[in-house]
Structures are given as C-alpha cells and as structure tokens.
C-alpha cells in the first residue's frame, strides 16, 4: 500500500478524505480525538506546500442538507488545533467550489461541506465522484473509519485520481494488522458490549489465528452462557445468533473464557461481571503480552454496574502487554476511567476495526492495495 510518503506531492492540489465524523453539541465539537488523529497527514501535506481540500461526513443526513450537521464546527476546531485560518465551502460540487479551489494558495486548507448532504456519496454515484476528483491532482484516503463502506469517497474517487493512503490509515492498518497476524504471545482478546453480531466474527478470526484466549463479557457472554445451559433469567439474548455462537464454542472450547459470577439488575438481567470473574480475568491479563479489547464488560454507564469494565480496564492499563482498543462505547469507558492514554493504540474506527480484525475485506482498503 502506497502512502503519501511514497510519492511526490510537492506543490500539488490534494483531495483528502478524513474521518472527522465527530459528536457535536450546540455547534461545537465535543470530542476531537478523531480530528487529532488526522492531523499528521494534514501537517505533512502542509510541509509539502500542498493546497489541501478536506472532505468528510458528519452523522446521517441521508442525502439532505441538515444545518445542524454542517462541518462548520470542525472548521473551528481545526483552526484552533493548527493555528491557521481554514476556509469552508458551502457545498461539495459546482462552479462556485471549483472557483474556491482555483483561488487556493499553497499551504491553505479548504473544507468542503458534509459529503452525506449528497445522496451521490452513499450511492457511490460516478458523477459525484468524478466532480470531486476534478478538484485535485491526487486523492489521499485517510478516513479509516469509513473504509468498510462502498461510497464515492472510498471507492468512487480512486477511479478518477491517483490515490494513496494517508498516515492515519497506514497507522491503523499497521497496528491492527500486526496485532491480528503476528501478536506477541500469550495474546488475548477481551470482548464485551452489546452489538453481538459484530463481535462474534472477531472472536472466531483471532482464535483461528494465533490468539490464545478470548475473555468474554457484556451481552456477548450471555449467548455462550445460554448454550452451556446457565440460568440467565431475563438477560438479553438475540436468539438468531445462538447457532453461530454454538459453532465457535465447539471449535474453541478451551480458548473461550466465560464469566462465572454476575451482578444482576432488579429485572433479573445480568448487568456486570461478578468479583470472582473480575479476579480471574485480571490474572489472565497480567500474563498476556498482547491485549485487544473491544466492548464494555457491563452497563458501565451506571455506577452500580461499572466495576467489571473499570477494573478490567485498570488491569489492562497496568499490564506490560501491547494494548490495543477501539469501539465508540469502549472509548467512552476509557475516557470515563481516564485510561485512554495508557493504551498503545486506540483505533478511530469502531465498525471498521471489528471488520478488519474479523478478517473481512474492506472495499476502501482493497482499492488502496491495488493502486500503484
Ligand atoms: P462498542 O461501541 O465499544 O463496540 P457496543 O456498542 O457493542 O460497544 O456495546 C456498548 C454497550 O453495551 C454499552 O452501552 C453497555 O451499557 C452495554 N452493555 C455491556 N454489558 C451489558 C449487559 N450485560 N447487558 C446490557 N448491556 C450491556
Ligand atoms: Mg457502540
């Protein structure tokens, strides 16, 4: 995969797809970590004297202009982070935009409006991709969090422009790829959370590869426990996922570690790991050399059920293993417990990371591999 460091970009006009889909509140960016993660690419392009056009989406406007989802707050945040004035276009395509790009000077940055204000983005319409491509000389893909999508800004534009990976995409693929394929052992994956169908393939793929153990929590654990005949009372289970879980449990019986005691809520649902399980998991974590963690181990948003997630996060943070994490709610948990900085690598892509770890091909990444 070629990156921006492999080709000559000096003085060129560059179209950069970033993953700046950040949470907004009252016109302000409330969590800027995805923007910060994209800065190395932008700074590199500034040093190469490039004219920079940034494209990305925020939220789900579904092809309509929704003022609340304008990219203006990201313009403000970037202005602060880079200490530069940054221009913002009122749209993504049209004569007006061509003129704005035409008047850009070297080392200037222009942000185009929310890509998903146009239905052509998610439908991967050729005309939309072609118009965006016509604005620049080179396309840089730095939006790791959208590489699993077949959109104009992932697979469309590369049909019309030379395309290379940005530094964030290169880092994500490098870090996650190394951990997945060549982990230092013992290697363990800790999986929790509630979006069960996205997690099962990760457990399957990592155990099939070189991972030694999977420690399970969250509602993911309920599925495996149900198959072992545990009395789960009213705990949450998606029945249609059980068959898949059964196969994995049979295939990797010794490698899947399940909770043995629980904290219940007053409706009879498992809402957290119990103390014995926490103790057992901590012991395994202490001996690991590689740890990948995704998914809170209980309903950590409520203080009563935050012990499992908090104590496991602490244990990972203080281990000497290579520590990798990701996932929207997992990052919220790490922020809450103030442990984010203890991790060696935190992915900017929840869904993308899980698909990548599951060994799925990501359309936006395949294109980068084939470009040269
Ligand atoms: P991530 O975004 O990190 O990938 P998920 O979206 O899969 O994680 O799941 C996060 C949610 O899972 C949290 O809001 C948490 O409250 C919930 N959760 C964790 N354990 C349980 C449980 N035992 N029962 C119900 N919900 C749970
Ligand atoms: Mg989530």
């Amino acid at each position: 995969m070629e990156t921006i460091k492999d080709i000559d970009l000096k003085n060129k006009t560059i179209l950069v797809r970033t993953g700046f889909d950040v949470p907004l509140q009252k016109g302000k960016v409330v969590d800027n970590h995805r923007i910060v993660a994209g800065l190395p690419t932008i700074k590199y392009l500034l040093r190469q004297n490039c004219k920079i056009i940034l494209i990305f989406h925020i939220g789900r406007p579904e092809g309509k202009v929704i003022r609340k989802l304008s990219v203006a707050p990201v313009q403000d945040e970037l202005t602060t982070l880079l200490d530069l004035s940054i221009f913002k276009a009122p749209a993504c395509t049209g004569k007006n935009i061509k003129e704005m790009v035409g008047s850009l000077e070297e080392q200037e940055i222009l942000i185009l409006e929310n890509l998903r204000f146009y239905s052509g983005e998610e439908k991967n319409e050729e005309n939309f991709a072609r118009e965006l491509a016509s604005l620049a000389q080179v396309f840089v893909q730095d939006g790791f969090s959208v590489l699993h999508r077949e959109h104009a800004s992932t697979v469309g534009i590369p049909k019309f422009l030379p395309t290379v990976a940005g530094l964030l995409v290169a880092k994500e693929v490098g870090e996650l790829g190394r951990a997945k394929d060549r982990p230092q052992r013992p290697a363990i994956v800790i999986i929790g959370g509630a979006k069960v169908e996205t997690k099962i393939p990760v457990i399957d793929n990592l155990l099939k590869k070189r991972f030694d153990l999977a420690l399970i929590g969250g509602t993911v654990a309920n599925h495996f426990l149900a198959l072992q005949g545990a009395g789960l009372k009213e705990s949450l289970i998606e029945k249609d996922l059980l068959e898949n879980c059964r196969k994995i449990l049979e295939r990797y019986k010794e490698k899947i570690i399940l909770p043995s005691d629980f904290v219940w809520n007053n409706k009879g649902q498992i809402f957290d790991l119990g103390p014995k399980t926490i103790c057992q998991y901590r012991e395994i974590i202490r001996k690991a050399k590689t740890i990948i963690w995704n998914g809170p181990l209980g309903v950590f948003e409520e203080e009563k059920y935050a012990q499992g997630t908090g104590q496991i996060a602490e244990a990972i943070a203080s281990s000497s293993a290579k520590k990798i994490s990701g996932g929207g709610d997992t990052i919220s948990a790490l922020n809450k417990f103030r442990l984010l900085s203890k991790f060696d690598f935190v992915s900017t892509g929840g869904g993308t990371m899980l698909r990548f770890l599951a060994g799925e091909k990501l359309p936006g990444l395949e294109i980068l591999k084939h470009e040269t």
Side-chain angles (χ1 to χ4, degrees), residues 79-337:
T79 304
T80 311
L81 287 168
L82 289 169
D83 197 17
L84 272 180
S85 54
I86 298 199
F87 304 96
K88 179 188 154 298
C92 290
T93 58
K95 192 161 149 270
N96 189 6
I97 306 304
K98 278 225 147 97
E99 281 167 12
M100 286 187 86
V101 171
S103 58
L104 265 187
E105 305 272 348
E106 282 157 12
Q107 297 190 320
E108 285 186 340
I109 302 176
L110 172 69
I111 298 187
L112 304 192
E113 245 316 339
N114 193 331
L115 282 172
R116 291 197 189 167
F117 284 179
Y118 296 79
S119 59
E121 163 64 356
E122 290 186 82
K123 288 190 192 143
N124 184 21
E125 274 169 17
E126 197 160 293
N127 281 339
F128 185 59
R130 189 187 290 116
E131 272 216 59
L132 288 167
S134 73
L135 299 173
Q137 295 164 283
V138 175
F139 181 50
V140 171
Q141 180 55 269
D142 213 25
F144 180 75
S145 50
V146 290
L147 291 184
H148 58 301
R149 310 278 188 203
E150 277 184 66
H151 291 173
S153 68
T154 56
V155 297
I157 297 169
K159 296 199 179 110
F160 304 104
L161 269 187
T163 299
V164 289
L167 301 177
L168 176 63
V169 162
K171 187 168 181 197
E172 292 264 8
V173 170
E175 291 280 353
L176 296 175
R178 254 192 312 282
K180 162 170 74 93
D181 299 320
R182 300 185 295 282
Q184 274 227 57
R185 296 172 67 184
I188 66 173
V189 56
I190 302 171
I191 293 283
K195 284 194 203 146
V196 182
E197 78 278 12
T198 64
K199 321 267 171 150
I200 304 296
V202 176
I203 301 170
D204 189 11
N205 191 47
L206 293 181
L207 293 182
K208 181 164 68 202
K209 295 199 162 199
R210 309 184 56 230
F211 273 64
D212 296 280
L213 292 175
L215 312 186
I216 316 288
T219 64
V220 184
N222 297 350
H223 295 70
F224 293 112
L225 291 163
L227 292 166
Q228 296 188 331
L232 299 182
K233 296 188 241 175
E234 301 302 314
S235 301
L236 305 170
I237 287 186
E238 295 172 69
K239 290 216 169 69
D240 51 331
L241 299 177
L242 284 174
E243 207 31 57
N244 234 343
C245 293
R246 182 193 309 279
K247 284 189 203 132
I248 289 165
L249 197 56
E250 278 167 11
R251 219 175 284 154
Y252 308 109
K253 226 184 222 95
E254 276 83 53
K255 292 180 157 192
I256 293 181
I257 311 295
L258 298 172
S260 54
D261 62 336
F262 312 97
V263 177
W264 304 81
N265 71 1
N266 55 18
K267 289 195 195 127
Q269 297 174 315
I270 294 176
F271 254 37
D272 198 9
L273 307 177
K276 224 174 82 195
T277 304
I278 295 174
C279 203
Q280 182 201 4
Y281 282 15
R282 292 186 71 123
E283 203 48 37
I284 296 170
I285 288 166
R286 213 167 49 81
K287 296 182 190 131
K289 292 237 165 65
T290 302
I291 302 172
I292 296 181
W293 175 35
N294 164 264
L297 299 157
V299 182
F300 75 96
E301 294 91 341
E302 291 180 58
E303 225 41 60
K304 286 185 285 195
Y305 311 115
Q307 282 296 319
T309 306
Q311 292 206 36
I312 295 304
E314 286 280 355
I316 303 170
S318 57
S319 98
S320 59
K322 172 102 184 174
K323 304 177 268 289
I324 292 181
S325 187
D329 296 288
T330 310
I331 293 176
S332 301
L334 282 172
N335 271 325
K336 173 178 161 136
F337 300 114

Side-chain angles (χ1 to χ4, degrees), residues 30-81:
V30 286
D31 174 0
N32 70 2
H33 84 267
R34 280 185 161 173
I35 302 177
V36 171
L39 292 180
T41 292
I42 297 175
K43 287 183 176 167
Y44 179 85
L45 295 175
L46 287 170
R47 287 198 299 275
Q48 301 296 310
N49 271 330
C50 296
K51 302 176 182 181
I52 303 170
I53 308 162
L54 299 181
I55 50 173
F56 54 94
H57 78 277
I58 298 180
R60 297 173 186 271
E62 299 187 333
K64 290 188 215 57
V65 175
I66 296 188
R67 275 293 130 222
K68 272 199 316 222
L69 295 176
S70 162
V71 300
V74 175
Q75 176 191 18
D76 295 340
E77 188 69 27
L78 261 184
T79 304
T80 311
L81 287 168

